[in-house]
């Protein structure tokens, strides 16, 4: 179930860590099915003092990659459907109840489902956790995180091949990064 209609875009998720890549392999994702898939072999880090360190990633496999989030999501949705998942798009979760047999999920379209399990991949503020009455969220401010993304063409050779991470004094404790997306 997703309240969005695919393909949809999200501001975060273009960078894929080694852990994410191993999970994608386990799911059977073929990078050739993701049009913007770009392996990352080099990383550059810039400290708040301005010092830059360039690092080559290990050569014993792929440890980082970049893909447009909309491309990756489309490939994962295709994998899920091929594996037999019933995908409900444009369907918001409006209620979640638990009982001794499992969960019941209500939707904004009036439907109710009784899945064996509920996986709530709905972000840090998790509407599902709120619907379940999670006391950990009650009145608890988790802070603000903001994301901005811009795709740029005509970049120099370093930006086209290296993943850059900047820890600028004005952004701390945040950071900025640039992905070498083809």
């Amino acid at each position: 179930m997703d309240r969005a209609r695919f393909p949809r875009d999200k501001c975060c998720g273009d960078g894929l860590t080694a852990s994410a890549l191993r999970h994608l392999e386990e799911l059977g994702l073929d990078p050739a099915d993701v049009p913007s898939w770009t392996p990352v072999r080099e990383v550059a880090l810039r400290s708040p003092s301005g010092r830059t360190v360039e690092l080559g990633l290990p050569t014993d496999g792929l440890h980082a990659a970049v893909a447009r989030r909309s491309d990756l999501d489309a490939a994962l949705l295709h994998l899920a459907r091929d594996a037999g998942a019933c995908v409900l798009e444009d369907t918001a979760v409006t209620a979640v109840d638990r009982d001794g047999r499992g969960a019941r999920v209500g939707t904004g379209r009036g439907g109710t489902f009784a899945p064996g399990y509920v996986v709530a991949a709905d972000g840090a503020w998790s509407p599902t956790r709120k619907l379940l009455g999670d006391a950990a969220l009650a009145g608890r401010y988790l802070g603000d995180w903001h994301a901005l993304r811009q795709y740029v063409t005509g970049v120099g050779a370093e930006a086209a091949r290296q993943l850059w991470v900047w820890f600028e004094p004005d952004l701390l404790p945040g950071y900025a990064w640039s992905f070498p997306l083809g």
Side-chain angles (χ1 to χ4, degrees), residues 14-22 24-25 31 37-43 55-67 161-163 177 179-180:
D14 290 1
L16 301 167
T17 64
S19 177
L21 293 173
R22 299 303 79 82
L24 292 172
E25 286 172 4
W37 187 273
T38 305
V40 174
R41 305 285 183 202
E42 299 176 42
V43 176
L55 307 165
L57 295 177
T59 58
D60 64 340
L62 185 60
H63 296 276
V66 178
R161 93 173 173 270
Q162 290 179 320
L163 185 152
W177 53 4
F179 297 136

Side-chain angles (χ1 to χ4, degrees), residues 7-76:
R8 59 104 160 96
D9 202 11
K10 296 187 72 101
C11 196
C12 194
D14 290 1
L16 301 167
T17 64
S19 177
L21 293 173
R22 299 303 79 82
H23 287 300
L24 292 172
E25 286 172 4
E26 289 172 15
L27 291 172
L29 179 79
D30 181 353
D33 293 335
V34 184
S36 56
W37 187 273
T38 305
V40 174
R41 305 285 183 202
E42 299 176 42
V43 176
L45 305 169
R46 183 180 166 139
S47 74
S49 68
R51 180 172 177 234
T52 299
V53 176
E54 296 183 26
L55 307 165
L57 295 177
T59 58
D60 64 340
L62 185 60
H63 296 276
V66 178
R68 291 180 196 266
R69 178 65 184 262
S70 57
D71 292 346
L72 180 61
D73 281 359
L76 289 172

Side-chain angles (χ1 to χ4, degrees), residues 5 19 34 55 80 85 96 106 129 133 136 142 152 164 166 168 173 176 180:
R5 178 162 295 283
S19 177
V34 184
L55 307 165
V96 180
R129 282 178 53 190
L142 299 177
V152 180
W164 276 81
W166 292 274
E168 295 293 328

Side-chain angles (χ1 to χ4, degrees), residues 84-155:
C86 172
V87 178
L88 300 175
E89 299 178 66
D90 200 22
T91 305
V93 173
T94 57
V96 180
D97 297 306
R98 292 181 282 197
D99 61 28
R101 294 179 312 236
R104 291 174 50 83
V105 178
T107 72
R109 296 181 161 210
T112 302
F113 299 85
Y117 297 92
V118 173
V119 177
D122 54 357
W125 291 100
S126 185
T128 305
R129 282 178 53 190
K130 288 179 187 173
L131 290 168
L132 287 168
D134 189 337
L137 285 178
R140 190 170 145 215
Y141 177 67
L142 299 177
D144 289 321
W145 287 85
H146 300 280
L148 168 74
R149 178 180 59 201
Q150 177 73 41
Y151 292 112
V152 180
T153 59
V155 299

